[in-house]
Amino acid sequence: MSVSKQRWCRLAVACLVMAAIGFIYGWSVFSAPLSQEFGWEPTVLSFTFTVLMWAFCAGGIVGARLTARTSTRTTLLCAAAGIFVSFALSALFLQQDVPWLMYLAYGGIGGCSVGMAYTTTMGASVAWFPERTGLASGMLLLCYGASTLVLGSVATGLFALIGWRWAFVALAGAIGCVVAVAACVLRRPTGQEADALPRPADAVGSDAPNAPDAPDATDGRASSANGGGAGGHAASQGAKDGMRHDYDTRGMLSRPAFWSYAGWMFLVSCIGLGVIGSANQLALEAGADVAVAVGLVGLLSVCNGCGRLVGGVLFDLLGAGRAMAISAALHFLGCVLAAFALAGASTPLMAAAVLVGGIGIGGVSALGSGFVATAFGQKHYAENLSILNLVLIPAALVGPTVMSTSATFAGGYLAGTGTLAALGAGALGLAALTGVLLARMRRG
């Protein structure tokens, strides 16, 4: 099979893995039977999601380092085992008086295992698409986001059919098997395969001199990110953002462009997590009945998924700075529309806010993946992406807190959406700054 066909087959397998491990965001579905059986308060259950996100970020770093020392296959097999153990422990031993086991098993082990599988799969797949980094990332993240809808429906059906304990065991086996089988297929391209990959016409080749400020610059050999071979393909703007070197984590953290992007990501993630966490309440406050509110939450999920692919394509076409600006503008416009919808009790206007904002929210993860790959190289991609994702930890606290504080002290979400809109305006400025800093990196 040709390298061109190989990479698309591997991407399809990677998409299947991402669809399987996306259950991490379906905690509200998986926690429903636990709440019914054990009568746990919402605060007890919500802390599991907090632990899950912390463990996800830590697992990404662990997975990246394990892959560097062993292989993609080893890391994915460990992740598959961890996912199975997390569900199995919850199913077999969870009781009313031991909620800490839920934090340890589902939150800690499950979150860490998903983080390992996430960064390893992204790193092994994106390396096959040096000229279409955004597209590949967008497809993977679209499947990751859509997982909540698919697995949520499957899980709900299994809960009713065989009970939540056996459903957890069945899901553990199915998800673990998918990841384990994929471990036999997914890997980074070899040097010879990288040479045969399509390459943007203006991408910097292996004969580029090493700059003194690149702590982990590649030697005279072509890196897998650049593909090494002569290419006659038209260059995408996303590829033009690509730098001459592979930066390790220390080198990445020394670049102002990273911190500018991280600040941008923090602001838009605050908006996204704040809106997602209050989507149903926002719709109800805008005058929607319960059925319509549920429908708008579903629309947000769909737009979120589609936005991942849109964000990846925009990254390839326009580059990081411009794609970031468009995403920030969509976040800002979505918040403004939501504020007007709340002020005028307009459900149609809230639907427009969900449509616009949802696409913007979805694009963030694809842009982050493309940014890390093109700005800092493929050699340390998985670990660098995991470091960037740490931004989600404070964002997961700030965004929802803005909305809950607004509801508690202002009697509604209007003040909260206004605050989030201000964050969107700040993100527009950081998008412009990041574009300038990336241009300086290319010249330097």
Side-chain angles (χ1 to χ4, degrees):
M1 185 184 296
S2 68
V3 173
S4 179
K5 291 182 179 179
Q6 271 194 57
R7 66 177 188 159
W8 288 105
C9 291
R10 295 182 194 279
L11 182 62
V13 173
C15 285
L16 184 60
V17 173
M18 297 297 278
I21 65 176
F23 71 86
I24 186 173
Y25 286 111
W27 173 240
S28 61
V29 174
F30 288 95
S31 65
L34 307 182
S35 176
Q36 294 175 2
E37 178 165 338
F38 301 131
W40 285 333
E41 294 293 329
T43 53
V44 174
L45 295 170
S46 64
F47 186 67
T48 304
F49 186 74
T50 302
V51 174
L52 195 68
M53 293 305 299
W54 291 343
F56 170 82
C57 295
I61 298 174
V62 171
R65 294 187 175 181
L66 180 60
T67 300
R69 295 181 179 181
T70 57
S71 65
T72 296
R73 176 178 298 183
T74 299
T75 304
L76 287 178
L77 288 175
C78 290
I83 290 171
F84 180 84
V85 168
S86 69
F87 273 99
L89 284 177
S90 300
L92 296 176
F93 301 108
L94 200 56
Q95 300 295 333
Q96 185 173 10
D97 57 345
V98 288
W100 59 266
L101 181 60
M102 178 175 59
Y103 305 146
L104 172 64
Y106 191 97
I109 299 176
C112 184
S113 301
V114 170
M116 292 171 62
Y118 177 94
T119 53
T120 303
T121 300
M122 293 288 291
S125 305
V126 173
W128 290 87
F129 294 85
E131 89 295 9
R132 294 183 178 179
T133 300
L135 176 64
S137 300
M139 291 178 65
L140 290 167
L141 293 166
L142 171 60
C143 294
Y144 186 66
S147 173
T148 300
L149 293 176
V150 177
L151 287 182
S153 299
V154 172
T156 301
L158 287 175
F159 294 156
L161 185 64
I162 58 178
W164 71 268
R165 292 187 186 273
W166 283 110
F168 269 34
V169 173
L171 290 168
I175 297 172
C177 284
V178 168
V179 178
V181 171
C184 301
V185 178
L186 297 180
R187 61 172 175 81
R188 292 171 60 87
T190 63
Q192 184 177 4
E193 289 169 335
D195 290 345
L197 291 172
R199 178 171 173 259
D202 67 343
V204 179
S206 61
D207 57 348
N210 288 336
D213 60 347
D216 193 50
T218 57
D219 57 20
R221 296 169 297 177
S223 73
S224 62
N226 288 334
H233 298 268
S236 67
Q237 181 63 41
K240 292 178 184 179
D241 285 334
M243 305 302 160
R244 296 171 183 260
H245 309 287
D246 287 301
Y247 290 84
D248 62 8
T249 299
R250 180 181 297 179
M252 180 182 72
L253 294 177
S254 72
R255 310 306 301 190
F258 169 80
W259 293 104
S260 177
Y261 185 90
W264 176 87
M265 183 175 169
F266 170 74
L267 293 180
V268 294
S269 296
C270 286
I271 297 172
L273 293 171
V275 169
I276 291 173
S278 305
N280 188 66
Q281 292 87 342
L282 286 170
L284 293 173
E285 188 174 327
D289 59 29
V290 174
V292 173
V294 171
L296 289 179
V297 173
L299 176 63
L300 177 62
S301 178
V302 171
C303 292
N304 188 342
C306 293
R308 297 166 189 247
L309 185 57
V310 171
V313 172
L314 287 176
F315 180 89
D316 284 340
L317 293 175
L318 304 176
R322 293 175 182 174
M324 289 166 63
I326 292 174
S327 177
L330 291 174
H331 281 80
F332 173 76
L333 181 57
C335 290
V336 170
L337 289 172
F340 277 107
L342 294 174
S346 172
T347 301
L349 204 55
M350 183 59 72
V354 166
L355 180 64
V356 172
I359 293 175
I361 291 169
V364 174
S365 52
L367 294 184
S369 174
F371 169 76
V372 170
T374 57
F376 303 109
Q378 290 284 357
K379 186 175 182 180
H380 303 280
Y381 170 82
E383 184 169 357
N384 288 343
L385 180 61
S386 300
I387 295 298
L388 178 63
N389 283 338
L390 293 176
V391 172
L392 296 174
I393 294 177
L397 175 63
V398 173
T401 299
V402 167
M403 298 302 281
S404 62
T405 301
S406 175
T408 301
F409 296 101
Y413 290 97
L414 182 58
T417 54
T419 302
L420 295 183
L423 297 183
L428 279 168
L430 285 176
L433 176 61
T434 303
V436 172
L437 294 174
L438 285 173
R440 290 180 181 176
M441 281 184 67
R442 287 196 297 273
R443 292 194 298 267

